[in-house]
Amino acid sequence: MSGFRWSRRVRIALLIVLLLGLLLFFPLAIALGIAGVDRLGVSGRDVRGSIWQGRIDQLMLGPVAMGDVRVALSPLPLLVGRARFDLRRKAGLADDFEGAVSFAPGRIGIDDVTGAVPMGRLMSPLPIGSLSMEDVSVRFAAGRCGHAEGRVRAQVMGQIAGLNLSQGLSGVAACDGDALLLPLVSQSGLEKITLRLRETGRYTAEMRVETSDPTLAGALAAAGFQSVGNARLLSVEGSL
C-alpha cells in the first residue's frame, strides 16, 4: 500500500496554523528574554502567560518592588520593527501605574508612563520616597538619551527640621547628553533635587537647599548635607 501524502495546499495550511499557534501562545517569559528587559533592571519572581495576555508576579525594577503587573505585547509597533510591552497595575492603590517598555535595534525606553514608583531606600540618604510620573516617555539610543518628556514629582519621606516639602518637588524630564535628567524643584524654589539616570542603570542624584538660616543649616548638616557657600548639598550615586 502506498504511503499517505499531503497535497501542497494542505502542507501550507498546516504550516500557517502552526505559525499562528506559535504566535498566539508564544510565552511572555521567552519574549522578554529576547527583548533584553534585564538591561532596564527589570526582573520578576514569576513570569507567566502569553505575549498577548501575560503577568509578572512581584515585578522588580532593580531593588524597587513594583508589585504584580499585567503585560501585553502591542502589535502595531511591530510593523516598524519595535517591540512594545504595555504594563498595567490597577489595584485601586496610590502606587497604581500604567505605561510601556519598548525595544528596537540599538534603542530602549519607556512610553507614556503614568503612576507612582515607590523608591524605598534606593537613594538613601536622599529622602526620596517615591516618584510620581505623568505621561513620561524616555528613549535611549546608542547609549545616549535621545528623547525625554513628561512631568515627574518626587515625594519626600521623613522630615528635616525647618523644611516643608509636603508638596514634593517637581519638574519636566529632559535629556542631558547620555543621561536622562530630572530637574526637580520645590514650591519655594529653594530646594532642588537633580537626578540623572543612564541607560546602564547608573544614577547620580543631588539635593541642594539654599539657606542662610543657621538653625536650618545645622539640621541639614546633622542629616549629612555638606556646606557650599549659602547652599547645603547631599549627593548619592548607585545603580538600579
Short mmCIF file of all heavy atoms in Angstrom, two decimals, residues 113-186:
data_model
loop_
_atom_site.label_atom_id
_atom_site.label_comp_id
_atom_site.label_asym_id
_atom_site.label_seq_id
_atom_site.Cartn_x
_atom_site.Cartn_y
_atom_site.Cartn_z
N VAL A 113 4.34 56.57 30.62
CA VAL A 113 4.19 56.03 31.96
C VAL A 113 3.49 57.05 32.86
O VAL A 113 3.92 58.20 32.97
CB VAL A 113 5.55 55.64 32.56
CG1 VAL A 113 5.39 55.20 34.02
CG2 VAL A 113 6.18 54.52 31.74
N THR A 114 2.42 56.62 33.50
CA THR A 114 1.70 57.44 34.47
C THR A 114 1.48 56.61 35.72
O THR A 114 1.02 55.47 35.65
CB THR A 114 0.34 57.90 33.91
OG1 THR A 114 0.55 58.78 32.80
CG2 THR A 114 -0.47 58.64 34.97
N GLY A 115 1.83 57.18 36.87
CA GLY A 115 1.65 56.47 38.12
C GLY A 115 2.84 56.69 39.03
O GLY A 115 3.75 57.47 38.72
N ALA A 116 2.83 56.01 40.16
CA ALA A 116 3.86 56.20 41.18
C ALA A 116 4.80 55.01 41.25
O ALA A 116 4.37 53.86 41.15
CB ALA A 116 3.21 56.42 42.55
N VAL A 117 6.08 55.31 41.40
CA VAL A 117 7.10 54.28 41.56
C VAL A 117 7.69 54.42 42.97
O VAL A 117 8.35 55.42 43.28
CB VAL A 117 8.22 54.43 40.52
CG1 VAL A 117 9.31 53.38 40.76
CG2 VAL A 117 7.67 54.31 39.12
N PRO A 118 7.43 53.46 43.86
CA PRO A 118 8.00 53.55 45.21
C PRO A 118 9.50 53.35 45.17
O PRO A 118 10.00 52.39 44.58
CB PRO A 118 7.29 52.42 45.96
CG PRO A 118 6.92 51.43 44.89
CD PRO A 118 6.63 52.24 43.66
N MET A 119 10.25 54.23 45.79
CA MET A 119 11.71 54.15 45.75
C MET A 119 12.30 53.46 46.97
O MET A 119 13.46 53.06 46.95
CB MET A 119 12.30 55.57 45.64
CG MET A 119 11.81 56.36 44.43
SD MET A 119 12.11 55.52 42.86
CE MET A 119 13.88 55.60 42.77
N GLY A 120 11.48 53.32 48.04
CA GLY A 120 12.02 52.70 49.24
C GLY A 120 13.24 53.47 49.73
O GLY A 120 13.21 54.69 49.84
N ARG A 121 14.30 52.75 49.98
CA ARG A 121 15.55 53.38 50.45
C ARG A 121 16.63 53.32 49.37
O ARG A 121 17.83 53.35 49.67
CB ARG A 121 16.03 52.71 51.73
CG ARG A 121 15.02 52.79 52.88
CD ARG A 121 15.63 52.38 54.19
NE ARG A 121 16.70 53.29 54.59
CZ ARG A 121 16.52 54.47 55.17
NH1 ARG A 121 15.29 54.92 55.39
NH2 ARG A 121 17.55 55.22 55.50
N LEU A 122 16.19 53.22 48.10
CA LEU A 122 17.13 53.08 47.00
C LEU A 122 18.15 54.22 46.98
O LEU A 122 19.33 53.99 46.75
CB LEU A 122 16.38 53.04 45.66
CG LEU A 122 17.24 53.03 44.40
CD1 LEU A 122 18.09 51.76 44.34
CD2 LEU A 122 16.38 53.14 43.15
N MET A 123 17.69 55.45 47.21
CA MET A 123 18.58 56.60 47.10
C MET A 123 18.96 57.18 48.46
O MET A 123 19.37 58.33 48.57
CB MET A 123 17.95 57.67 46.21
CG MET A 123 17.79 57.22 44.79
SD MET A 123 17.21 58.52 43.69
CE MET A 123 17.20 57.61 42.13
N SER A 124 18.77 56.39 49.52
CA SER A 124 19.16 56.83 50.86
C SER A 124 20.66 57.19 50.88
O SER A 124 21.47 56.52 50.22
CB SER A 124 18.88 55.70 51.84
OG SER A 124 19.26 56.07 53.14
N PRO A 125 21.03 58.28 51.57
CA PRO A 125 20.24 59.09 52.50
C PRO A 125 19.41 60.19 51.85
O PRO A 125 18.82 60.99 52.57
CB PRO A 125 21.31 59.69 53.40
CG PRO A 125 22.49 59.86 52.50
CD PRO A 125 22.46 58.68 51.57
N LEU A 126 19.37 60.28 50.53
CA LEU A 126 18.50 61.25 49.89
C LEU A 126 17.04 60.86 50.19
O LEU A 126 16.66 59.71 49.98
CB LEU A 126 18.74 61.25 48.38
CG LEU A 126 18.59 62.58 47.64
CD1 LEU A 126 19.62 63.58 48.15
CD2 LEU A 126 18.74 62.37 46.15
N PRO A 127 16.22 61.78 50.69
CA PRO A 127 14.90 61.40 51.21
C PRO A 127 13.81 61.31 50.15
O PRO A 127 12.73 61.88 50.30
CB PRO A 127 14.60 62.52 52.22
CG PRO A 127 15.26 63.73 51.62
CD PRO A 127 16.52 63.21 50.96
N ILE A 128 14.06 60.58 49.05
CA ILE A 128 13.05 60.40 48.00
C ILE A 128 12.25 59.14 48.30
O ILE A 128 12.77 58.03 48.22
CB ILE A 128 13.68 60.31 46.61
CG1 ILE A 128 14.48 61.59 46.30
CG2 ILE A 128 12.62 60.08 45.55
CD1 ILE A 128 15.20 61.55 44.97
N GLY A 129 10.97 59.31 48.65
CA GLY A 129 10.14 58.16 48.96
C GLY A 129 9.51 57.52 47.74
O GLY A 129 9.38 56.29 47.66
N SER A 130 9.12 58.34 46.76
CA SER A 130 8.51 57.82 45.54
C SER A 130 8.64 58.86 44.44
O SER A 130 8.84 60.06 44.70
CB SER A 130 7.03 57.47 45.76
OG SER A 130 6.27 58.64 46.01
N LEU A 131 8.52 58.40 43.19
CA LEU A 131 8.48 59.28 42.02
C LEU A 131 7.13 59.09 41.34
O LEU A 131 6.80 57.97 40.93
CB LEU A 131 9.61 58.95 41.05
CG LEU A 131 11.04 59.26 41.50
CD1 LEU A 131 12.04 58.80 40.44
CD2 LEU A 131 11.22 60.75 41.78
N SER A 132 6.35 60.16 41.25
CA SER A 132 5.07 60.12 40.56
C SER A 132 5.26 60.68 39.16
O SER A 132 5.77 61.79 38.99
CB SER A 132 4.02 60.94 41.32
OG SER A 132 3.79 60.38 42.60
N MET A 133 4.86 59.90 38.15
CA MET A 133 5.07 60.28 36.75
C MET A 133 3.75 60.55 36.04
O MET A 133 2.74 59.90 36.33
CB MET A 133 5.85 59.19 36.04
CG MET A 133 7.27 59.04 36.57
SD MET A 133 8.22 57.73 35.73
CE MET A 133 7.58 56.31 36.60
N GLU A 134 3.81 61.49 35.12
CA GLU A 134 2.63 61.83 34.32
C GLU A 134 3.03 61.88 32.85
O GLU A 134 3.75 62.79 32.41
CB GLU A 134 2.07 63.19 34.77
CG GLU A 134 0.81 63.61 34.04
CD GLU A 134 0.27 64.94 34.53
OE1 GLU A 134 0.67 65.39 35.62
OE2 GLU A 134 -0.55 65.54 33.80
N ASP A 135 2.62 60.86 32.10
CA ASP A 135 2.92 60.76 30.66
C ASP A 135 4.42 60.89 30.38
O ASP A 135 4.83 61.66 29.51
CB ASP A 135 2.14 61.81 29.87
CG ASP A 135 0.65 61.56 29.89
OD1 ASP A 135 0.25 60.38 29.89
OD2 ASP A 135 -0.13 62.53 29.90
N VAL A 136 5.21 60.11 31.09
CA VAL A 136 6.67 60.17 30.92
C VAL A 136 7.11 59.16 29.86
O VAL A 136 6.77 57.98 29.92
CB VAL A 136 7.39 59.88 32.26
CG1 VAL A 136 8.90 59.78 32.04
CG2 VAL A 136 7.07 60.97 33.27
N SER A 137 7.86 59.65 28.90
CA SER A 137 8.46 58.80 27.86
C SER A 137 9.94 59.13 27.77
O SER A 137 10.33 60.30 27.83
CB SER A 137 7.80 59.03 26.50
OG SER A 137 6.45 58.63 26.51
N VAL A 138 10.77 58.10 27.63
CA VAL A 138 12.22 58.28 27.54
C VAL A 138 12.76 57.30 26.51
O VAL A 138 12.36 56.14 26.49
CB VAL A 138 12.91 58.02 28.89
CG1 VAL A 138 14.42 58.26 28.76
CG2 VAL A 138 12.33 58.91 29.98
N ARG A 139 13.67 57.76 25.65
CA ARG A 139 14.32 56.88 24.68
C ARG A 139 15.83 56.99 24.83
O ARG A 139 16.39 58.08 24.88
CB ARG A 139 13.98 57.30 23.25
CG ARG A 139 12.53 57.20 22.88
CD ARG A 139 12.14 55.82 22.42
NE ARG A 139 10.85 55.85 21.75
CZ ARG A 139 9.69 55.97 22.37
NH1 ARG A 139 9.66 56.08 23.69
NH2 ARG A 139 8.55 56.00 21.69
N PHE A 140 16.49 55.84 24.91
CA PHE A 140 17.94 55.78 24.82
C PHE A 140 18.31 55.12 23.50
O PHE A 140 17.76 54.08 23.15
CB PHE A 140 18.53 54.97 25.97
CG PHE A 140 18.51 55.68 27.30
CD1 PHE A 140 17.51 55.40 28.23
CD2 PHE A 140 19.48 56.62 27.61
CE1 PHE A 140 17.48 56.04 29.46
CE2 PHE A 140 19.47 57.26 28.85
CZ PHE A 140 18.46 56.98 29.76
N ALA A 141 19.25 55.72 22.78
CA ALA A 141 19.72 55.17 21.51
C ALA A 141 21.24 55.23 21.49
O ALA A 141 21.82 56.30 21.75
CB ALA A 141 19.15 55.94 20.33
N ALA A 142 21.86 54.10 21.20
CA ALA A 142 23.32 54.01 21.15
C ALA A 142 23.97 54.54 22.42
O ALA A 142 24.99 55.21 22.39
CB ALA A 142 23.85 54.78 19.92
N GLY A 143 23.32 54.26 23.57
CA GLY A 143 23.89 54.64 24.84
C GLY A 143 23.65 56.07 25.26
O GLY A 143 24.12 56.50 26.32
N ARG A 144 22.90 56.84 24.46
CA ARG A 144 22.64 58.24 24.78
C ARG A 144 21.14 58.48 24.91
O ARG A 144 20.33 57.78 24.29
CB ARG A 144 23.22 59.18 23.70
CG ARG A 144 24.74 59.14 23.61
CD ARG A 144 25.24 60.10 22.55
NE ARG A 144 24.91 61.49 22.84
CZ ARG A 144 25.61 62.27 23.66
NH1 ARG A 144 26.66 61.80 24.29
NH2 ARG A 144 25.26 63.53 23.87
N CYS A 145 20.79 59.47 25.71
CA CYS A 145 19.39 59.86 25.84
C CYS A 145 18.99 60.64 24.60
O CYS A 145 19.54 61.72 24.33
CB CYS A 145 19.19 60.70 27.10
SG CYS A 145 17.47 61.19 27.39
N GLY A 146 18.04 60.09 23.83
CA GLY A 146 17.65 60.73 22.59
C GLY A 146 16.36 61.52 22.68
O GLY A 146 16.11 62.42 21.87
N HIS A 147 15.52 61.20 23.67
CA HIS A 147 14.25 61.91 23.82
C HIS A 147 13.71 61.68 25.22
O HIS A 147 13.82 60.58 25.77
CB HIS A 147 13.22 61.38 22.79
CG HIS A 147 11.85 61.94 23.00
ND1 HIS A 147 11.50 63.21 22.62
CD2 HIS A 147 10.74 61.41 23.58
CE1 HIS A 147 10.23 63.43 22.93
NE2 HIS A 147 9.74 62.36 23.52
N ALA A 148 13.16 62.73 25.82
CA ALA A 148 12.54 62.62 27.14
C ALA A 148 11.45 63.67 27.27
O ALA A 148 11.62 64.81 26.83
CB ALA A 148 13.57 62.79 28.25
N GLU A 149 10.32 63.27 27.86
CA GLU A 149 9.23 64.21 28.09
C GLU A 149 8.36 63.69 29.23
O GLU A 149 8.45 62.52 29.61
CB GLU A 149 8.37 64.37 26.83
CG GLU A 149 7.70 63.09 26.37
CD GLU A 149 6.83 63.31 25.15
OE1 GLU A 149 6.29 64.41 24.98
OE2 GLU A 149 6.70 62.37 24.34
N GLY A 150 7.53 64.57 29.77
CA GLY A 150 6.62 64.20 30.84
C GLY A 150 7.02 64.84 32.16
O GLY A 150 8.15 65.30 32.35
N ARG A 151 6.07 64.91 33.07
CA ARG A 151 6.28 65.57 34.36
C ARG A 151 6.50 64.52 35.46
O ARG A 151 5.84 63.49 35.47
CB ARG A 151 5.08 66.45 34.71
CG ARG A 151 5.20 67.17 36.06
CD ARG A 151 4.24 68.33 36.15
NE ARG A 151 4.66 69.40 35.28
CZ ARG A 151 5.55 70.34 35.62
NH1 ARG A 151 6.12 70.31 36.82
NH2 ARG A 151 5.87 71.29 34.79
N VAL A 152 7.43 64.84 36.35
CA VAL A 152 7.80 63.95 37.45
C VAL A 152 7.73 64.73 38.77
O VAL A 152 8.16 65.90 38.83
CB VAL A 152 9.21 63.37 37.26
CG1 VAL A 152 9.59 62.49 38.44
CG2 VAL A 152 9.30 62.58 35.95
N ARG A 153 7.19 64.09 39.80
CA ARG A 153 7.16 64.69 41.14
C ARG A 153 7.78 63.71 42.13
O ARG A 153 7.42 62.53 42.16
CB ARG A 153 5.73 65.02 41.56
CG ARG A 153 5.64 65.62 42.98
CD ARG A 153 4.20 65.94 43.34
NE ARG A 153 3.65 66.95 42.45
CZ ARG A 153 3.78 68.26 42.64
NH1 ARG A 153 4.46 68.71 43.70
NH2 ARG A 153 3.26 69.11 41.80
N ALA A 154 8.73 64.21 42.91
CA ALA A 154 9.35 63.41 43.96
C ALA A 154 8.66 63.70 45.29
O ALA A 154 8.54 64.86 45.69
CB ALA A 154 10.84 63.73 44.08
N GLN A 155 8.18 62.65 45.94
CA GLN A 155 7.61 62.78 47.28
C GLN A 155 8.70 62.47 48.30
O GLN A 155 9.40 61.46 48.18
CB GLN A 155 6.43 61.83 47.45
CG GLN A 155 5.27 62.10 46.50
CD GLN A 155 4.61 63.45 46.74
OE1 GLN A 155 4.72 64.03 47.82
NE2 GLN A 155 3.90 63.96 45.74
N VAL A 156 8.83 63.35 49.27
CA VAL A 156 9.91 63.23 50.24
C VAL A 156 9.43 62.44 51.46
O VAL A 156 8.33 62.67 51.97
CB VAL A 156 10.40 64.62 50.68
CG1 VAL A 156 11.44 64.51 51.79
CG2 VAL A 156 10.99 65.35 49.48
N MET A 157 10.23 61.48 51.89
CA MET A 157 9.89 60.70 53.08
C MET A 157 10.63 61.27 54.29
O MET A 157 11.74 61.80 54.17
CB MET A 157 10.25 59.23 52.88
CG MET A 157 11.71 58.94 52.64
SD MET A 157 12.02 57.17 52.39
CE MET A 157 13.80 57.17 52.15
N GLY A 158 10.01 61.16 55.45
CA GLY A 158 10.63 61.68 56.66
C GLY A 158 10.54 63.20 56.70
O GLY A 158 9.95 63.85 55.83
N GLN A 159 11.14 63.77 57.69
CA GLN A 159 11.12 65.22 57.86
C GLN A 159 12.51 65.72 58.23
O GLN A 159 13.27 65.04 58.92
CB GLN A 159 10.13 65.62 58.96
CG GLN A 159 8.67 65.37 58.60
CD GLN A 159 7.73 65.87 59.68
OE1 GLN A 159 8.14 66.13 60.82
NE2 GLN A 159 6.46 66.04 59.32
N ILE A 160 12.81 66.91 57.72
CA ILE A 160 14.03 67.61 58.10
C ILE A 160 13.60 68.90 58.76
O ILE A 160 12.83 69.68 58.17
CB ILE A 160 14.93 67.90 56.88
CG1 ILE A 160 15.36 66.58 56.23
CG2 ILE A 160 16.16 68.70 57.30
CD1 ILE A 160 16.17 66.77 54.96
N ALA A 161 14.03 69.13 59.99
CA ALA A 161 13.60 70.31 60.74
C ALA A 161 13.84 71.58 59.93
O ALA A 161 14.94 71.82 59.43
CB ALA A 161 14.33 70.37 62.08
N GLY A 162 12.79 72.40 59.79
CA GLY A 162 12.92 73.67 59.08
C GLY A 162 12.53 73.61 57.63
O GLY A 162 12.41 74.65 56.98
N LEU A 163 12.33 72.40 57.06
CA LEU A 163 11.92 72.26 55.66
C LEU A 163 10.47 71.80 55.58
O LEU A 163 10.07 70.89 56.30
CB LEU A 163 12.81 71.25 54.93
CG LEU A 163 14.26 71.63 54.68
CD1 LEU A 163 14.95 70.52 53.87
CD2 LEU A 163 14.39 72.96 53.97
N ASN A 164 9.71 72.43 54.69
CA ASN A 164 8.34 71.99 54.43
C ASN A 164 8.28 71.51 52.99
O ASN A 164 8.15 72.31 52.06
CB ASN A 164 7.35 73.12 54.66
CG ASN A 164 5.91 72.68 54.39
OD1 ASN A 164 5.64 71.49 54.19
ND2 ASN A 164 5.00 73.63 54.38
N LEU A 165 8.39 70.18 52.81
CA LEU A 165 8.39 69.60 51.47
C LEU A 165 7.20 68.67 51.29
O LEU A 165 7.27 67.68 50.56
CB LEU A 165 9.70 68.84 51.23
CG LEU A 165 10.97 69.69 51.28
CD1 LEU A 165 12.22 68.83 51.16
CD2 LEU A 165 10.96 70.76 50.20
N SER A 166 6.10 69.00 51.96
CA SER A 166 4.91 68.15 51.89
C SER A 166 4.33 68.08 50.49
O SER A 166 3.64 67.11 50.14
CB SER A 166 3.85 68.65 52.87
OG SER A 166 3.47 69.99 52.57
N GLN A 167 4.57 69.11 49.67
CA GLN A 167 4.08 69.11 48.29
C GLN A 167 5.06 68.47 47.32
O GLN A 167 4.78 68.39 46.12
CB GLN A 167 3.79 70.55 47.84
CG GLN A 167 2.73 71.26 48.68
CD GLN A 167 1.42 70.52 48.67
OE1 GLN A 167 0.92 70.14 47.60
NE2 GLN A 167 0.84 70.30 49.85
N GLY A 168 6.20 68.04 47.83
CA GLY A 168 7.18 67.39 46.98
C GLY A 168 7.96 68.38 46.12
O GLY A 168 7.87 69.59 46.28
N LEU A 169 8.71 67.83 45.18
CA LEU A 169 9.49 68.62 44.23
C LEU A 169 9.16 68.10 42.84
O LEU A 169 9.09 66.88 42.63
CB LEU A 169 10.99 68.51 44.48
CG LEU A 169 11.51 68.94 45.86
CD1 LEU A 169 11.50 67.77 46.84
CD2 LEU A 169 12.94 69.51 45.76
N SER A 170 8.95 68.98 41.88
CA SER A 170 8.51 68.53 40.56
C SER A 170 9.31 69.19 39.46
O SER A 170 9.97 70.22 39.64
CB SER A 170 7.02 68.83 40.36
OG SER A 170 6.78 70.23 40.41
N GLY A 171 9.24 68.58 38.28
CA GLY A 171 9.94 69.10 37.11
C GLY A 171 9.60 68.28 35.88
O GLY A 171 8.84 67.32 35.95
N VAL A 172 10.18 68.66 34.76
CA VAL A 172 9.92 68.02 33.47
C VAL A 172 11.15 67.24 33.03
O VAL A 172 12.27 67.75 33.09
CB VAL A 172 9.54 69.08 32.41
CG1 VAL A 172 9.36 68.43 31.04
CG2 VAL A 172 8.27 69.81 32.82
N ALA A 173 10.94 66.00 32.60
CA ALA A 173 12.04 65.15 32.14
C ALA A 173 12.70 65.74 30.91
O ALA A 173 12.04 66.30 30.03
CB ALA A 173 11.52 63.75 31.84
N ALA A 174 14.03 65.62 30.84
CA ALA A 174 14.78 66.13 29.70
C ALA A 174 16.01 65.25 29.50
O ALA A 174 16.34 64.39 30.33
CB ALA A 174 15.21 67.58 29.95
N CYS A 175 16.68 65.43 28.36
CA CYS A 175 17.93 64.72 28.10
C CYS A 175 19.11 65.63 28.40
O CYS A 175 19.07 66.84 28.15
CB CYS A 175 17.99 64.27 26.63
SG CYS A 175 16.94 62.84 26.25
N ASP A 176 20.17 65.05 28.94
CA ASP A 176 21.40 65.77 29.21
C ASP A 176 22.56 64.88 28.77
O ASP A 176 23.10 64.11 29.56
CB ASP A 176 21.50 66.11 30.70
CG ASP A 176 22.75 66.92 31.03
OD1 ASP A 176 23.31 67.54 30.12
OD2 ASP A 176 23.18 66.89 32.20
N GLY A 177 22.92 64.96 27.48
CA GLY A 177 23.98 64.12 26.95
C GLY A 177 23.54 62.66 26.94
O GLY A 177 22.52 62.31 26.35
N ASP A 178 24.29 61.82 27.65
CA ASP A 178 23.97 60.40 27.67
C ASP A 178 22.98 60.04 28.77
O ASP A 178 22.60 58.87 28.92
CB ASP A 178 25.23 59.56 27.83
CG ASP A 178 25.96 59.83 29.14
OD1 ASP A 178 25.64 60.84 29.80
OD2 ASP A 178 26.85 59.04 29.49
N ALA A 179 22.51 61.03 29.55
CA ALA A 179 21.68 60.75 30.72
C ALA A 179 20.28 61.35 30.60
O ALA A 179 20.09 62.40 29.97
CB ALA A 179 22.35 61.27 31.98
N LEU A 180 19.32 60.67 31.23
CA LEU A 180 18.01 61.25 31.49
C LEU A 180 18.16 62.20 32.66
O LEU A 180 18.73 61.84 33.70
CB LEU A 180 17.00 60.16 31.82
CG LEU A 180 15.69 60.62 32.48
CD1 LEU A 180 14.87 61.45 31.51
CD2 LEU A 180 14.91 59.42 32.98
N LEU A 181 17.66 63.42 32.52
CA LEU A 181 17.77 64.43 33.56
C LEU A 181 16.40 64.74 34.13
O LEU A 181 15.46 65.04 33.39
CB LEU A 181 18.39 65.71 32.98
CG LEU A 181 18.39 66.94 33.90
CD1 LEU A 181 19.29 66.70 35.11
CD2 LEU A 181 18.83 68.18 33.12
N LEU A 182 16.29 64.66 35.46
CA LEU A 182 15.07 65.07 36.17
C LEU A 182 15.44 66.23 37.09
O LEU A 182 15.98 66.02 38.19
CB LEU A 182 14.49 63.91 36.98
CG LEU A 182 14.10 62.65 36.21
CD1 LEU A 182 13.54 61.60 37.16
CD2 LEU A 182 13.09 62.97 35.12
N PRO A 183 15.18 67.48 36.65
CA PRO A 183 15.47 68.65 37.50
C PRO A 183 14.23 69.01 38.32
O PRO A 183 13.29 69.62 37.81
CB PRO A 183 15.80 69.74 36.47
CG PRO A 183 15.00 69.35 35.25
CD PRO A 183 14.75 67.86 35.31
N LEU A 184 14.22 68.64 39.58
CA LEU A 184 13.03 68.77 40.42
C LEU A 184 13.20 69.93 41.39
O LEU A 184 14.25 70.07 42.04
CB LEU A 184 12.78 67.47 41.18
CG LEU A 184 12.79 66.19 40.32
CD1 LEU A 184 12.62 64.96 41.20
CD2 LEU A 184 11.71 66.26 39.25
N VAL A 185 12.15 70.76 41.51
CA VAL A 185 12.22 71.97 42.32
C VAL A 185 11.01 72.04 43.23
O VAL A 185 9.89 71.69 42.83
CB VAL A 185 12.28 73.23 41.41
CG1 VAL A 185 12.44 74.49 42.25
CG2 VAL A 185 13.41 73.12 40.40
N SER A 186 11.21 72.52 44.46
CA SER A 186 10.11 72.68 45.40
C SER A 186 9.29 73.92 45.06
O SER A 186 9.67 74.73 44.20
CB SER A 186 10.65 72.80 46.83
OG SER A 186 11.36 74.02 46.98
#
